[in-house]
């Protein structure tokens, strides 16, 4: 497989194109407007510079070679005509993904594997193609050119051969791959993050602690252990007899999923939307 197509050149798509180009593939990067593609090109150039500054990429010899492997196009038919793998990283909307997969099924060669980078959607429920055995989820993490994990999530009709091909491509790129047994919303990593976030919002919403103290508690305690042990090995170290006592302790009640957080709503109403607005829980 020489040619790979990325559809959607936003936060994820531009970096996915870069990762595969760095791995030696010829890439077609597709989006709906030239402006977005021009921006994607400059983001890739900047990413490569940052990697070079960190000593992770030899820019002198390789930048031009990597950049020349990427063809930027708004023409979806041309983008997928010769690719063995297409990964979509378009908007997280079921109707948009459904429509795109039906186009990809029509426009790409029948043997092409069609992958989605969806974060939470069960695409297997709504995507219709004539090749369900070649449809698969590969869930990357931002920014894909830095974060190693890719969760591979086969659907009920995805063939073991498709899983094997995709896993080998990603492993050969140096990514850390996990194959889930079946779909569940949020896969592994986002579910764990979501569970932690529920507690963060609970602590903030009820005034138990300041943002600074929550972050200090995280960074000065279990945050240090996680990269070394993970979360399951930690249980081995804690001791399962102790864990059983903790499990039986009914005084701990996890927060309910409310679908909102007062702390987040208050920030949003003040226009404090994230680092991009300068002031949020912290000032930037
Ligand atoms: N941002 C993240 O941290 C992250 C992490 C993992 C997975 N994802 C998933 O990746 C996907 C993309 O997320 P993102 O954050 O890169 O979004 P984004 O909004 O930054 O980029 C999406 C891009 O897709 C383009 N697009 C929309 N419809 C299109 C179409 N029909 N054909 C071609 N291009 C189209 C848009 O113009 C835009 O440039 C989503 O499914 C998201 O859930 C995002």
């Amino acid at each position: 497989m020489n040619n790979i197509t990325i559809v959607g050149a936003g936060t994820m798509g531009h970096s996915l194109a870069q990762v595969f180009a760095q791995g030696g593939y010829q890439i077609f990067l597709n989006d709906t407007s030239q402006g977005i593609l021009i921006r994607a090109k400059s983001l890739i150039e900047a990413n490569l510079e940052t990697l070079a500054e960190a000593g992770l990429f030899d820019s002198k010899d390789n930048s031009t070679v990597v950049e020349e492997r990427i063809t930027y196009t708004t023409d979806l038919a041309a983008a997928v005509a010769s690719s063995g793998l297409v990964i979509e990283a378009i908007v997280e909307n079921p109707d948009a993904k459904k429509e795109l997969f039906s186009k990809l099924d029509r426009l790409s060669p029948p043997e092409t594997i069609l992958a989605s980078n969806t974060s939470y959607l069960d695409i297997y429920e709504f995507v219709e193609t004539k090749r369900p055995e070649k449809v698969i989820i590969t869930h990357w993490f931002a920014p894909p050119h830095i974060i190693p994990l890719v969760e591979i999530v086969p659907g009920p009709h995805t063939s073991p051969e498709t899983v094997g091909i995709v896993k080998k491509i990603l492993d050969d790129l140096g990514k850390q791959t996990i194959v889930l047994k079946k779909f569940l919303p949020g896969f592994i990593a986002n579910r764990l993050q979501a569970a932690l976030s529920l507690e963060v919002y609970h602590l903030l919403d009820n005034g138990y602690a300041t943002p600074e103290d929550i972050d200090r508690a995280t960074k000065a305690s279990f945050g240090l252990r996680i990269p070394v042990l993970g979360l399951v090995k930690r249980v081995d170290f804690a001791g399962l007899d102790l864990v059983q006592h903790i499990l039986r302790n009914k005084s701990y009640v996890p927060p309910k999923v409310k679908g909102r957080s007062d702390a987040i709503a208050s920030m949003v109403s003040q226009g404090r939307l994230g680092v991009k607005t300068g002031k949020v829980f912290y000032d930037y």
Side-chain angles (χ1 to χ4, degrees):
M1 191 181 295
N2 293 324
N3 296 355
I4 291 180
T5 302
I6 309 296
V7 183
T11 305
M12 297 301 284
H14 82 274
S15 171
L16 291 178
Q18 175 192 333
V19 171
F20 285 105
Q22 283 185 256
Y25 293 95
Q26 294 297 322
I27 304 303
F28 293 89
L29 181 55
N30 167 263
D31 206 300
T32 50
S33 83
Q34 275 302 336
I36 294 171
L37 292 173
I38 290 167
R39 182 164 177 274
K41 189 171 189 303
S42 65
L43 286 173
I44 290 170
E45 284 163 10
N47 291 345
L48 290 173
E49 269 174 40
T50 308
L51 289 179
E53 281 165 21
L56 298 168
F57 179 72
D58 182 357
S59 62
K60 249 197 267 137
D61 296 335
N62 292 326
S63 267
T64 319
V65 179
V66 169
E67 284 165 35
E68 281 177 354
R69 286 189 190 129
I70 305 175
T71 304
Y72 298 83
T73 177
T74 54
D75 182 345
L76 184 65
V80 301
S82 60
S83 287
L85 169 65
V86 178
I87 304 179
E88 70 80 13
I90 70 164
V91 57
E92 182 82 338
N93 172 301
D95 291 338
K97 296 219 195 262
K98 184 178 159 92
E99 191 187 335
L100 176 65
F101 268 84
S102 121
K103 281 189 197 163
L104 294 176
D105 196 32
R106 200 161 23 89
L107 298 172
S108 66
E111 62 277 12
T112 301
I113 294 172
L114 305 178
S116 173
N117 184 45
T118 182
S119 302
Y120 281 92
L121 296 173
D122 185 353
I123 60 155
Y124 303 114
E125 286 211 325
F126 58 81
V127 154
E128 286 164 13
T129 67
K130 294 195 192 72
R131 60 184 101 182
E133 75 287 356
K134 294 187 188 302
V135 173
I136 192 162
I137 292 171
T138 55
H139 179 242
W140 299 63
F141 290 80
H145 61 280
I146 294 177
I147 307 289
L149 184 67
V150 185
E151 293 167 320
I152 300 172
V153 191
H157 303 293
T158 312
S159 69
E161 190 196 2
T162 299
V163 174
I165 293 170
V166 168
K167 181 168 164 45
K168 170 140 182 42
I169 291 172
L170 299 177
D171 287 342
D172 288 350
L173 285 173
K175 305 312 286 187
Q176 292 214 24
T177 54
I178 286 171
V179 180
L180 272 80
K181 303 260 189 299
K182 56 184 178 185
F183 180 91
L184 92 165
F187 316 125
I188 298 175
N190 280 350
R191 287 187 78 88
L192 295 172
Q193 285 201 124
L196 267 181
S197 296
L198 259 189
E199 281 294 354
V200 170
Y201 306 141
H202 177 70
L203 294 172
L204 287 173
D205 288 355
N206 294 290
Y208 288 113
T210 62
E212 291 78 6
D213 283 347
I214 294 172
D215 283 345
R216 192 180 318 147
T218 311
K219 292 195 268 186
S221 66
F222 69 94
L224 291 172
R225 279 197 305 241
I226 286 178
V228 183
L229 294 177
L231 289 171
V232 180
K233 201 178 230 184
R234 183 202 71 84
V235 175
D236 285 356
F237 277 77
L240 272 59
D241 45 349
L242 168 63
V243 169
Q244 249 183 347
H245 284 303
I246 294 171
L247 282 171
R248 286 189 201 114
N249 175 3
K250 297 273 185 310
S251 71
Y252 173 73
V253 182
K256 289 216 170 63
V257 177
K258 291 189 294 185
R260 63 164 275 121
S261 149
D262 292 342
I264 298 291
S266 156
M267 286 288 158
V268 171
S269 71
Q270 297 168 57
R272 297 181 163 218
L273 301 184
V275 175
K276 60 192 168 190
T277 58
K279 280 180 191 281
V280 209
F281 289 109
Y282 296 83
D283 286 353
Y284 297 91

